Amino acid sequence: MSKKIIDEAIEYVKELFEGNSDGHGVDHAMRVYRNTQVIMEKYPEADSVVVALAALLHDADDHKLFNTDNNANARGFLEKNGLPIEKIDYICQIINSVSFSHNRGKIPDTIEGKIVQDADRIDAIGAIGIARTFAYGGKAGRLLGDSIKHFYDKLLLLKEELNTDSAKELAQKRHDYMVEFLKEYYAETGEELP
């Protein structure tokens, strides 16, 4: 059942995010899922099905994208696939611990929650994090300077807020890349580094 439901979840997020171009689409969900697989290698005690489903569905009810209550999209998918209510509630609890803006400084209680939160944050930094920042900024009508400010408000902080050693190892190179990008940005614009 585990492979089947994960495959179903992949198909579900493909449908749910069809046409999304702001950095929160199916490609993001798949990268977060792949990040969890890398991080989990050092945490065999983690429930791999719970982690996979929470990773794939973590933006299924994101307030920036959907007007849903109580994880309606994620819950609907999980219920349709016959998961017990306790597992559905646990997956939704993990999903609700992912958002940086709603969970700043909060560490999930479980290894599964820590892995999914870290996997999402890893996808917000490095080259892909830079690309996603400007994709979302363009869609939201942000000025270039507002997207640059986002680096200081969030992206450069993420490395220090990761939970697992695996994620911290993955983050260092990506963090350094963003620092170099900002140096080049300021060199090209003639602005001063803050």
Side-chain angles (χ1 to χ4, degrees):
M1 167 166 177
S2 59
K3 179 172 179 353
K4 182 178 183 298
I5 194 168
I6 292 167
D7 289 344
E8 295 272 340
I10 291 169
E11 290 307 309
Y12 177 67
V13 295
K14 283 180 181 175
E15 291 170 24
L16 193 62
F17 294 115
E18 187 175 356
N20 180 291
S21 61
D22 73 358
H24 293 87
V26 68
D27 54 341
H28 167 62
M30 292 305 297
R31 285 190 306 271
V32 172
Y33 168 66
R34 286 191 298 272
N35 288 343
T36 64
Q37 303 309 291
V38 172
I39 295 168
M40 261 195 314
E41 288 175 13
K42 291 190 178 173
Y43 302 93
E45 71 274 19
D47 183 326
S48 61
V49 175
V50 165
V51 168
L53 292 173
L56 288 165
L57 298 170
H58 81 278
D59 276 341
D61 294 282
D62 187 307
H63 67 95
K64 295 184 294 295
L65 309 171
F66 303 100
N67 187 19
T68 57
D69 290 319
N70 194 28
N71 304 95
N73 289 334
R75 280 184 188 280
F77 169 81
L78 296 168
E79 287 168 3
K80 185 178 122 194
N81 281 276
L83 265 72
I85 189 65
E86 302 80 29
K87 194 159 268 197
I88 293 172
D89 286 343
Y90 182 43
I91 291 168
C92 288
Q93 175 191 336
I94 293 170
I95 289 170
N96 293 336
S97 74
V98 171
S99 167
F100 180 79
S101 60
H102 293 133
N103 295 289
R104 180 80 202 278
K106 295 179 189 168
I107 299 170
D109 296 333
T110 64
I111 190 60
E112 291 85 4
K114 290 174 183 174
I115 289 168
V116 177
Q117 187 184 77
D118 281 358
D120 181 59
R121 291 178 179 188
I122 288 292
D123 201 56
I125 60 176
I128 196 68
I130 294 168
R132 288 182 65 217
T133 296
F134 292 109
Y136 184 79
K139 183 171 182 180
R142 282 185 186 159
L143 297 172
L144 199 56
D146 292 335
S147 286
I148 293 296
K149 185 177 181 307
H150 184 65
F151 284 82
Y152 298 95
D153 292 342
K154 176 181 176 182
L155 306 187
L156 294 172
L157 308 176
L158 290 175
K159 179 177 70 88
E160 298 304 321
E161 298 205 6
L162 296 170
N163 305 299
T164 62
D165 291 339
S166 295
K168 290 174 186 175
E169 289 170 22
L170 293 170
Q172 187 62 56
K173 179 180 175 191
R174 292 178 182 224
H175 179 86
D176 294 344
Y177 186 85
M178 290 190 304
V179 170
E180 290 306 311
F181 166 79
L182 289 168
K183 286 180 187 171
E184 182 63 21
Y185 172 85
Y186 287 111
E188 291 179 16
T189 61
E191 298 172 25
E192 293 288 319
L193 260 164

